[in-house]
Amino acid sequence: MEKIFALADCNNFYASCERVFDPSLEGKPIVVLSNNDGCVVARSNEAKALGIKMGAPAFQHEHIFKKHGVIVFSSNYSLYGDMSQRVMATIEQFSPGIEVYSIDEAFLNLSGMTPETSIEHARQLRAVVRRWTGIPLSIGLGQTKTLAKAANKFAKKKPEHGGVFSLVARADIDTLLENLPVGDIWGIGSRHELFLKRHGITNARQFRDASDSWIKKHMTIMGLRTAMELRGVSCIPIEKAPVPKKGIMSSRSFGRPIESLEELKEALATHVSRAAEKLRAQRSAASVLHVFILTNRFKNEPQYSNSATAILPVATAYTPDLIAHAHERLEAIYKPGYRYKKTGVFLTEFVPENIIQQNILAPEYPAERNREIMRVVDKINARWGADSIRYAAEGVQNGWQMRRERLSPHYTTVWSEIPVIKTAPIEELEKEPAQEKS
DNA sequence: TCTGGGGTCCTAGGACCC
DNA sequence: TCTGGGGTCCTAGGACCC
């Protein structure tokens, strides 16, 4: 049976989410910024056309934003996360067994379809996602995941194909791959791109046709796998069930520099709490915890960064214990007199929550009781919203919170911010049709 | 004033064991 | 003169992805 993979990718996802709920943004340049309003992480096509680059620091581009009337948003992750779920649920309904690869991408398994029916399926899927969620998709098809990724690039580059492009069973595959820059191949990053160009390999066809031993020697078996996939040999399967994580990180830059140990402890406790919640969601307990702090490397001022590791006596997902260990480690590395930019925690060395090895040095550890408490806390927060209850160690003032000065409403996740459909007598509506949102 | 926040996998080399 | 060899585990660093 012929394998066919599809990659469905939301166009300019964050920018598109903002547009769904404010159609007046249609046709205008939009950018969405990273946490702390730092870098540009999403751009509408109009913003791309202005030459605004992915990852560009926002403060360096204020003049371009102003000059061209670019509409700027802080990232609204609860909105994007919710919209992502709607898109993925819609795709899953028509193509069961998808792999949700990122917040805005999914791999589909269309094996068994003919090249023609798979294209038709993709077209219909694209239309229904647009109709049900308002989000535009591009879909690429190929005999491997890497080829589906490449096809997706063509779907975006060649709008005349209506957002769907297939590399399956094509006579002109060589020419197409010649037109794909080597750095655009999934799995070839900037370092290998430079290396390959130095050796005269500039496009996907040349890379596909390079010798196995040469690729393996310089790019390990990962590079060879990518080349095989370009040749149509599927090496990377669809992962239907999410693979449990081996490490969980939570960290964030502060909205302003932080000097006091007290505030660092609050911020760190908040990260521990978030990480522990994710840990429990995948039914794991952690046996190792890393803590780190650092100053702002972009500033011309005294720099300090350090990290410390706690080996936990008993693997746990109990937030108060994890906070205590994290605080103890933080106190060991904290030095006064520095302006800190960021702190965070990394949990690792997981075991399943229900087979935790007891430690003879900590025989009284009330594992079952602690798990019960966490279950209740997680349930309350799931029912009544994140942070409905939290630990006092996380602080109340939170002066270190990130900046989000250009946040759009939580259109889909907060009752008071749901868009309102305005009604009025028909004569009034006819008087000023253009201004009102509906 | 202002530069994100997560993750994965592979390899080389050293420590250590018998 | 002759100075083993195979295996495992760990860590640091580098590459990649979104």
Side-chain angles (χ1 to χ4, degrees):
Chain A
M1 185 177 70
E2 177 105 61
K3 278 187 182 158
I4 301 182
F5 296 88
L7 177 73
D9 185 331
C10 302
N11 299 347
N12 313 328
F13 182 54
Y14 298 168
S16 297
C17 288
E18 299 292 350
R19 261 183 193 159
V20 167
F21 295 94
D22 187 351
S24 72
L25 300 172
E26 210 66 49
K28 293 184 182 154
I30 302 176
V31 299
V32 180
L33 305 182
S34 63
N35 291 320
N36 270 315
D37 295 343
C39 302
V40 173
V41 291
R43 306 153 293 158
S44 70
N45 288 341
E46 298 78 8
K48 287 177 186 172
L50 291 174
I52 299 166
K53 297 273 179 261
M54 184 72 175
F59 76 97
Q60 290 174 357
H61 289 74
E62 286 297 341
H63 61 286
I64 297 185
F65 296 163
K66 208 164 261 171
K67 186 172 162 199
H68 294 97
V70 176
I71 298 150
V72 181
F73 291 98
S74 301
S75 38
N76 186 343
Y77 280 101
S78 42
L79 174 66
Y80 312 148
D82 187 60
M83 292 302 289
S84 173
Q85 281 186 24
R86 296 180 188 199
V87 170
M88 298 305 171
T90 307
I91 297 175
E92 173 79 33
Q93 187 174 331
F94 294 92
S95 277
I98 64 170
E99 173 186 345
V100 176
Y101 178 66
S102 74
I103 193 166
D104 68 339
E105 281 172 86
F107 283 105
L108 288 60
N109 182 1
L110 304 184
S111 302
M113 295 187 185
T114 66
E116 296 75 32
T117 54
S118 61
I119 293 173
E120 188 48 37
H121 181 82
R123 291 217 173 96
Q124 289 177 8
L125 188 61
R126 194 173 173 276
V128 78
V129 168
R130 182 72 199 244
R131 196 157 59 238
W132 290 7
T133 68
I135 299 291
L137 286 182
S138 296
I139 303 181
L141 298 98
Q143 283 127 287
T144 65
K145 279 182 161 181
T146 304
L147 286 169
K149 270 273 193 184
N152 195 278
K153 296 262 179 200
F154 290 121
K156 290 210 165 77
K157 253 192 246 178
K158 301 168 182 275
E160 66 274 18
H161 290 85
V164 174
F165 195 89
S166 177
L167 285 173
V168 178
R170 285 195 82 110
D172 58 346
I173 183 89
D174 287 356
T175 317
L176 285 164
L177 291 185
E178 266 169 29
N179 284 308
L180 186 69
V182 75
D184 282 2
I185 302 170
W186 187 47
I188 308 283
S190 59
R191 302 306 295 259
H192 284 328
E193 180 187 7
L194 271 176
F195 170 81
L196 290 167
K197 281 183 175 163
R198 277 205 304 276
H199 287 80
I201 295 178
T202 61
N203 65 55
R205 181 183 179 182
Q206 292 172 319
F207 180 69
R208 181 196 68 182
D209 296 341
S211 96
D212 288 5
S213 55
W214 186 85
I215 295 174
K216 188 170 177 197
K217 182 174 165 203
H218 294 104
M219 299 170 65
T220 80
I221 65 163
M222 304 297 278
L224 185 53
R225 196 177 69 172
T226 297
M228 295 297 289
E229 285 241 321
L230 285 176
R231 296 168 196 167
V233 180
S234 175
C235 308
I236 312 172
I238 299 246
E239 305 272 5
K240 286 181 197 161
V243 182
K245 303 208 181 318
K246 296 172 179 171
I248 293 173
M249 165 119 76
S250 176
S251 80
R252 190 139 297 166
S253 300
F254 305 125
R256 57 167 169 80
I258 295 300
E259 292 183 55
S260 79
L261 178 61
E262 286 318 302
E263 283 190 298
L264 283 175
K265 284 170 82 172
E266 284 181 14
L268 183 59
T270 305
H271 291 310
V272 171
S273 191
R274 278 193 59 217
E277 214 175 299
K278 290 186 193 169
L279 184 65
R280 295 191 294 270
Q282 67 167 39
R283 306 197 156 279
S284 300
S287 10
V288 172
L289 171 157
H290 304 277
V291 165
F292 61 88
I293 47 175
L294 39 88
T295 49
N296 189 345
R297 67 181 199 279
F298 293 107
K299 292 272 197 183
N300 187 16
E301 60 186 34
Q303 298 287 317
Y304 173 65
S305 69
N306 208 345
S307 65
T309 301
I311 313 281
L312 309 181
V314 179
T316 186
Y318 184 55
T319 301
D321 283 353
L322 292 167
I323 290 177
H325 284 287
H327 279 174
E328 190 266 328
R329 294 284 77 200
L330 173 63
E331 282 166 19
I333 55 174
Y334 171 77
K335 281 193 193 168
Y338 290 96
R339 290 155 52 83
Y340 293 97
K341 173 67 177 167
K342 187 172 177 179
T343 186
V345 67
F346 183 68
L347 304 176
T348 186
E349 300 297 305
F350 298 160
V351 297
E353 64 168 2
N354 52 352
I355 55 158
I356 293 170
Q357 186 70 47
Q358 290 290 330
N359 183 330
I360 56 167
L361 299 176
E364 303 298 322
Y365 193 76
E368 190 46 44
R369 184 205 66 150
N370 291 350
R371 270 208 295 275
E372 273 307 316
I373 296 173
M374 290 296 99
R375 254 196 284 277
V376 172
V377 168
D378 291 339
K379 222 170 165 178
I380 292 171
N381 285 331
R383 174 74 182 80
W384 299 100
D387 278 350
S388 292
I389 69 174
R390 57 196 182 116
Y391 285 88
E394 297 173 44
V396 181
Q397 297 291 326
N398 295 163
W400 38 267
Q401 284 286 14
M402 65 173 164
R403 279 187 313 281
R404 293 207 287 183
E405 289 165 2
R406 295 141 135 171
L407 192 60
S408 56
H410 298 80
Y411 294 112
T412 63
T413 54
V414 175
W415 283 112
S416 59
E417 299 183 21
I418 288 176
V420 174
I421 297 173
K422 293 191 179 166
T423 57
I426 193 77
E427 316 82 64
E428 276 186 41
L429 283 176
E430 281 170 352
K431 262 189 272 173
E432 39 170 0
Q435 303 304 316
E436 292 287 343
K437 255 191 241 177
S438 59

